[in-house]
Amino acid sequence: MTGRRRWSTEEILDTAAELLRTSDADSFSVRKLAAALGTDSSSLYRHFRNKTELLRAVADRILLTAMDGYRPEGDWKQRVTTLALRLREAFGEQPQLAGVWARFGSGGTGSRLVMEELLQALRTSGLPDEEVPARYHRIVILVAALIASEAGIGTLTSKEYEQGMEQFRVAVLGADPEHFPALSHFARDIRPLGVDRRAAFEEILAAQLAHIEAQMP
Amino acid sequence: MTGRRRWSTEEILDTAAELLRTSDADSFSVRKLAAALGTDSSSLYRHFRNKTELLRAVADRILLTAMDGYRPEGDWKQRVTTLALRLREAFGEQPQLAGVWARFGSGGTGSRLVMEELLQALRTSGLPDEEVPARYHRIVILVAALIASEAGIGTLTSKEYEQGMEQFRVAVLGADPEHFPALSHFARDIRPLGVDRRAAFEEILAAQLAHIEAQMP
DNA sequence: ACCTGAACACCGTTCAAGT
DNA sequence: ACCTGAACACCGTTCAAGT
């Protein structure tokens, strides 16, 4: 309309988040974001050094909204679990950002809120202070890896997903019993990676936390 | 030289694997592969439906070479751990393929060998047969997630990595003690996600396996 | 029967030129 | 001081035309 317009960084991030939520697959691009804002992609480079920097900023907003209204409840294991599930859900709606977060971190207020809550929960666990950082490190690696890999599957188009399922079926059900006896034996009960992710997430995390607890004095 | 030349699928996969090993960052492309083969990218589409299909085939070769010379040793936990570490190492040298594997699977002989060995190990564990598939599923999800996310960090250029480290330092060391007391307290001992990955991998997996063992009759 | 060239519809990023 | 247009150097993929 006006031909010229100054966009605030906030508006850009909002629009980017919106686009990442609605767009299917990996179709987000700087050019599309610019088009949605009604401007040229070149003008966005005044606000962000590059695309990664932009996505990191959006990822940090995801963390912020994930922490919105959060109140710690229960013992340390429940707190860690609730936190992890919140992050999982938040990135589940914006799967492209999960990969950015796991690779680059986000480095803003959102990430600080997450780190703070996780550390506070561990501090109430009875762990000696000097063991907290190492336990923290393992938990973050585990949670980030699970979320990012689940999100990676979430970015597949339904055609890609179906195709992968089909090839999985062929690999499992078509295995020669002579060379792959165990695989043939369990073939009908083996499930592909993409199913039952929420239960898997909770179980794997619970095992990790139980293990930490078991090693306490 | 000859102007015309038929490439076998084998040769294409070999060259692709080579290129993925040596190329830094995400710079692999169909066009570069074609150039390395001395042909045009369009001719590769007779051998593969698309880029993903090509990468899946290379990923399956990685699994094959990872299993090369493998002999089961020790109890079931040692077998699972050895297998997982082999995969981790194989994809560590070709980090771009880890993401493809975790998202799409590979669906060839390599993946069958891995599935077979993992199932056989679980079968010797003393788990009742009907619990094996669920335990198998969790282990694969965990191992694939850890390997892919570690590899994701491995695809960063050293500039990107340094930049991420710097921003991590700022986020942690620059946190206001009033709003982030636990973070400030542990600031100097909190480590970024990318460090100490091998130890983290082994510990997290060990916790998972110990948890399975603890639930046995 | 096989391969090539050229094209299509995109990317991220830069930078001189405009207002 | 800010924005735009145009360009650069790439992508994956398709398909008519060549040999």
Side-chain angles (χ1 to χ4, degrees):
Chain A
M1 325 258 169
T2 70
R4 274 241 227 152
R5 164 85 148 88
R6 274 220 312 299
W7 301 97
S8 73
T9 303
E10 284 305 304
E11 287 173 286
I12 296 173
L13 292 181
D14 277 345
T15 311
E18 177 65 21
L19 226 57
L20 283 158
R21 191 165 25 241
T22 57
S23 79
D24 32 354
D26 313 64
S27 63
F28 177 84
S29 74
V30 177
R31 285 170 126 105
K32 279 179 189 158
L33 172 58
L37 287 161
T39 181
D40 188 89
S41 60
S42 58
S43 40
L44 299 178
Y45 284 86
R46 197 171 324 287
H47 299 84
F48 302 97
R49 242 186 309 181
N50 51 43
K51 192 187 179 186
T52 299
E53 216 57 31
L54 164 63
L55 290 176
R56 277 168 49 104
V58 185
D60 199 66
R61 283 167 75 85
I62 303 297
L63 295 180
L64 271 180
T65 62
M67 295 304 286
D68 194 51
Y70 176 90
R71 283 284 163 277
E73 250 175 66
D75 70 1
W76 74 275
K77 293 198 291 180
Q78 280 165 350
R79 286 173 68 173
V80 173
T81 306
T82 304
L83 180 67
L85 284 172
R86 271 189 178 236
L87 298 185
R88 177 183 172 274
E89 196 154 340
F91 282 117
E93 288 170 28
Q94 253 112 336
Q96 305 179 59
L97 291 174
V100 174
W101 174 58
R103 283 177 42 151
F104 300 94
S106 83
T109 310
S111 75
R112 278 179 178 153
L113 286 172
V114 171
M115 293 191 273
E116 177 69 18
E117 165 57 13
L118 188 46
L119 287 167
Q120 282 190 16
L122 283 174
R123 237 183 163 178
T124 68
S125 70
L127 268 179
D129 246 32
E130 61 275 19
E131 285 185 28
V132 167
R135 293 305 110 210
Y136 168 88
H137 185 245
R138 270 47 167 174
I139 291 173
V140 175
I141 284 179
L142 174 62
V143 169
L146 289 174
I147 289 176
S149 88
E150 185 174 349
I153 293 172
T155 61
L156 299 180
T157 63
S158 58
K159 199 179 125 199
E160 287 173 324
Y161 186 80
E162 286 310 320
Q163 203 172 299
M165 289 294 250
E166 178 55 27
Q167 268 155 328
F168 176 80
R169 255 191 305 273
V170 170
V172 170
L173 295 174
D176 173 10
E178 192 136 352
H179 291 101
F180 305 103
L183 183 54
S184 304
H185 182 259
F186 289 112
R188 283 205 300 218
D189 301 307
I190 296 292
R191 330 236 29 123
L193 283 196
V195 305
D196 218 10
R197 290 296 298 223
R198 158 127 193 181
F201 184 91
E202 293 190 74
E203 276 182 39
I204 292 168
L205 180 58
Q208 192 64 29
L209 301 183
H211 189 250
I212 293 174
E213 198 166 50
Q215 292 188 322
M216 283 185 194
Chain B
M1 322 267 172
T2 73
R4 272 234 230 159
R5 164 85 148 88
R6 275 216 315 299
W7 301 98
S8 72
T9 304
E10 284 306 303
E11 287 173 285
I12 296 172
L13 292 181
D14 277 344
T15 312
E18 178 63 21
L19 225 57
L20 283 157
R21 192 167 22 245
T22 55
S23 77
D24 33 354
D26 312 65
S27 64
F28 176 84
S29 74
V30 177
R31 283 170 127 105
K32 279 180 191 158
L33 171 59
L37 287 161
T39 182
D40 188 87
S41 60
S42 58
S43 40
L44 299 177
Y45 284 86
R46 197 171 323 287
H47 298 85
F48 301 97
R49 242 188 308 186
N50 51 44
K51 191 186 181 186
T52 299
E53 218 56 31
L54 164 63
L55 290 175
R56 277 168 49 102
V58 185
D60 199 66
R61 283 168 74 85
I62 303 297
L63 295 181
L64 272 180
T65 61
M67 295 304 286
D68 194 51
Y70 176 89
R71 283 282 164 276
E73 249 175 67
D75 70 2
W76 74 276
K77 293 199 292 181
Q78 281 164 350
R79 286 173 68 173
V80 173
T81 306
T82 304
L83 179 67
L85 285 173
R86 271 189 178 236
L87 299 184
R88 176 183 172 275
E89 196 154 340
F91 282 118
E93 288 170 27
Q94 253 111 337
Q96 304 178 61
L97 291 174
V100 173
W101 174 59
R103 283 178 44 153
F104 299 94
S106 82
T109 309
S111 75
R112 277 180 178 151
L113 287 171
V114 171
M115 293 191 274
E116 178 69 18
E117 165 58 13
L118 189 46
L119 286 168
Q120 282 191 15
L122 284 174
R123 237 182 164 180
T124 68
S125 70
L127 268 179
D129 245 31
E130 61 275 20
E131 284 185 29
V132 167
R135 294 304 109 213
Y136 168 87
H137 186 245
R138 270 46 168 175
I139 291 172
V140 176
I141 285 179
L142 174 62
V143 170
L146 289 175
I147 289 176
S149 88
E150 184 174 349
I153 293 172
T155 61
L156 300 180
T157 62
S158 59
K159 199 178 125 199
E160 287 173 323
Y161 186 80
E162 285 310 319
Q163 202 172 301
M165 289 293 251
E166 178 55 27
Q167 268 155 329
F168 175 82
R169 255 192 305 274
V170 170
V172 170
L173 295 174
D176 173 10
E178 191 136 353
H179 291 100
F180 304 102
L183 184 53
S184 303
H185 180 258
F186 289 112
R188 283 203 300 215
D189 301 307
I190 296 292
R191 327 234 33 119
L193 283 196
V195 306
D196 217 8
R197 289 297 297 224
R198 158 127 193 181
F201 184 92
E202 293 190 74
E203 276 182 39
I204 291 168
L205 181 59
Q208 191 65 29
L209 301 183
H211 190 250
I212 293 174
E213 196 166 52
Q215 292 189 322
M216 284 186 193

